[in-house]
Amino acid sequence: MRSIHLSFGDTAVINDLDLDARSGEIICLLGPSGCGKTTTLRVLAGLERPDSGSVEIDGQIVYDQSVDAAPESRAIGYLFQDYALFPHLTVAQNVGFGIQEQANAASEVRALLDRVHMGQFAHAMPHTLSGGQQQRVALARALARKPKLLLLDEPFSGLDTALKIQLRESTHSLLKEIGTSAVIVTHDAEEAMFMADRIALMREGRIVQLGTPAQLYNRPVDEFTARFLGEVIELQGQINGVLVTTVAGEFECDTELPSGAVTVLVRPEDLVVTPGDGPYRIGHRHFIGSHTLVDLFGHDAGLPDIQLSVPTAKAVLLERGQPVCPKARCRKPLLITQ
Ligand code: ATP
């Protein structure tokens, strides 16, 4: 996508958006509700017409000032949020809907259903299937025409946690096995990190940062990105040259900033606590499995309270009311803001 602009009435919904997906790559469009993720997907699909810009799929211009290819001629597969299976057709008929005219349609459908582990449900009607089974049928249908690009809009929303985790895994391995490029819309950062080769984080119709999950998580370009990708802890500090002094130790800044007060953002796992002296007191411990979230109260020392993620085996050694001092495990914070 090149320089895409799109407005609904007076409201600009996509602002100068550029996006490239490599062959076989999974890109996740991630961002808060209303930032333009679905609209971007619909532009790729040809369901929404941008005001300007161009769209190219596998070397073919499908949209620009003079071209506007119909959705069915764009070599794309679209998996809608609600799966949109035809209720009056069987599973096999749903999957074969777009390829009926092909001589080998029946064997293609069988192969696709086997691939998504739905072979034994070929003659079932959609309403007799669970949400997860419907999702797999919809995926098989989207793949039937061998798309160059697969578009998935919130494919795992509305499923319970266990099924969601299972389907994420199977969809990811299926997409990688087939090697189709895919663009997936999600507002769930963890899901994007799990599924994506690269994440495009969107805000107000723009891509704020495009990169691997680790790049966005560890090297966010701004505070919005840092907070969207995961928990952050704010530490107050004083900067002198490139060194920032905080209660948790010293951090290094990439560039020299004017001396004075700064806020240092770090991930909870980048701080460790050991019992002993310190300005914080241990508060409540929230057991969440392998890790425990530990509240640290700093108000007696005039410090904002923080919550750290501590391996449960270590957290059991911490006692309520005990004084502690968090220590930074690395000298590079996520961000330093003035
Ligand atoms: P969500 O996660 O809530 O689905 P999103 O990031 O996918 O959000 P879009 O659905 O792309 O966002 O919508 C972006 C903005 O455009 C929203 O403010 C939405 O209300 C508006 N919008 C979307 N489609 C239309 C339309 N057909 N007419 C007018 N406004 C629209």
Side-chain angles (χ1 to χ4, degrees):
M1 305 177 93
R2 286 277 166 276
S3 310
I4 299 289
H5 286 266
L6 187 146
S7 298
F8 290 118
D10 292 339
T11 314
V13 170
I14 300 182
N15 294 302
D16 199 20
L17 185 135
D18 282 293
L19 181 63
D20 280 284
R22 301 170 192 138
S23 180
E25 189 177 34
I26 300 177
I27 298 259
C28 279
L29 297 179
L30 174 69
S33 184
C35 71
K37 307 181 293 292
T38 296
T39 306
T40 304
L41 213 61
R42 288 172 59 81
V43 167
L44 279 169
L47 299 169
E48 216 68 73
R49 188 170 290 140
D51 303 322
S52 57
S54 62
V55 180
E56 188 180 316
I57 298 175
D58 199 29
Q60 237 190 333
I61 298 278
V62 293
Y63 187 86
D64 68 7
Q65 279 173 324
S66 49
V67 179
D68 184 9
E72 60 275 16
S73 60
R74 289 193 178 197
I76 50 137
Y78 202 130
L79 184 67
F80 292 93
Q81 207 162 354
D82 56 1
Y83 314 140
L85 295 175
F86 303 116
H88 59 294
L89 299 182
T90 65
V91 163
Q93 287 165 338
N94 261 282
V95 175
F97 187 78
I99 56 167
Q100 283 149 328
E101 68 285 3
Q102 287 181 20
N104 61 347
S107 61
E108 282 287 313
V109 168
R110 265 198 305 279
L112 277 164
L113 284 177
D114 285 342
R115 210 158 206 177
V116 297
H117 309 293
M118 287 295 289
Q120 71 273 40
F121 294 97
H123 303 295
M125 299 305 285
H127 73 271
T128 66
L129 304 178
S130 70
Q133 290 169 332
Q134 289 185 31
Q135 197 261 12
R136 280 186 272 163
V137 176
L139 186 60
R141 188 178 63 180
L143 291 170
R145 294 176 59 173
K146 299 194 171 35
K148 298 266 168 52
L149 178 65
L150 191 62
L151 308 175
L152 302 97
D153 194 352
E154 299 273 6
F156 313 111
S157 65
L159 301 171
D160 65 56
T161 312
L163 186 59
K164 193 183 283 197
I165 290 169
Q166 193 191 329
L167 274 180
R168 272 181 201 168
E169 265 169 26
S170 59
T171 306
H172 182 264
S173 40
L174 185 66
L175 291 178
K176 285 297 170 193
E177 196 186 305
I178 295 169
T180 312
S181 311
V183 180
I184 305 177
V185 161
T186 179
H187 60 268
D188 179 339
E190 196 189 298
E191 182 165 298
M193 288 193 273
F194 184 90
M195 295 296 292
D197 294 310
R198 286 187 301 158
I199 296 173
L201 182 69
M202 291 185 68
R203 182 189 193 184
E204 294 172 0
R206 292 175 200 278
I207 293 178
V208 182
Q209 188 170 1
L210 174 67
T212 63
Q215 281 168 343
L216 269 75
Y217 188 83
N218 295 318
R219 293 280 160 260
V221 292
D222 60 13
E223 193 173 336
F224 168 78
T225 312
R227 290 186 186 280
F228 207 89
L229 269 284
E231 292 286 320
V232 294
I233 289 178
E234 273 185 33
L235 297 169
Q236 302 312 315
Q238 287 289 326
I239 191 162
N240 198 347
V242 292
L243 271 193
V244 184
T245 311
T246 74
V247 67
E250 279 187 341
F251 291 93
E252 278 168 13
C253 191
D254 286 336
T255 52
E256 206 164 305
L257 293 173
S259 298
V262 289
T263 302
V264 178
L265 299 185
V266 293
R267 295 280 179 219
E269 62 270 24
D270 288 337
L271 295 180
V272 286
V273 276
T274 39
D277 267 355
Y280 289 94
R281 305 241 160 220
I282 299 287
H284 193 75
R285 289 173 299 176
H286 310 265
F287 172 76
I288 52 163
S290 64
H291 276 67
T292 292
L293 301 176
V294 180
D295 295 332
L296 300 192
F297 294 119
H299 44 244
D300 290 345
L303 295 165
D305 299 340
I306 57 179
Q307 190 178 61
L308 296 188
S309 172
V310 178
T312 294
K314 290 201 170 150
V316 293
L317 303 174
L318 301 171
E319 281 170 29
R320 201 180 175 100
Q322 208 174 15
V324 285
C325 185
K327 289 254 180 316
R329 297 209 301 194
C330 59
R331 302 201 65 183
K332 286 280 177 203
L334 282 181
L335 272 182
I336 294 174
T337 56
Q338 245 176 341

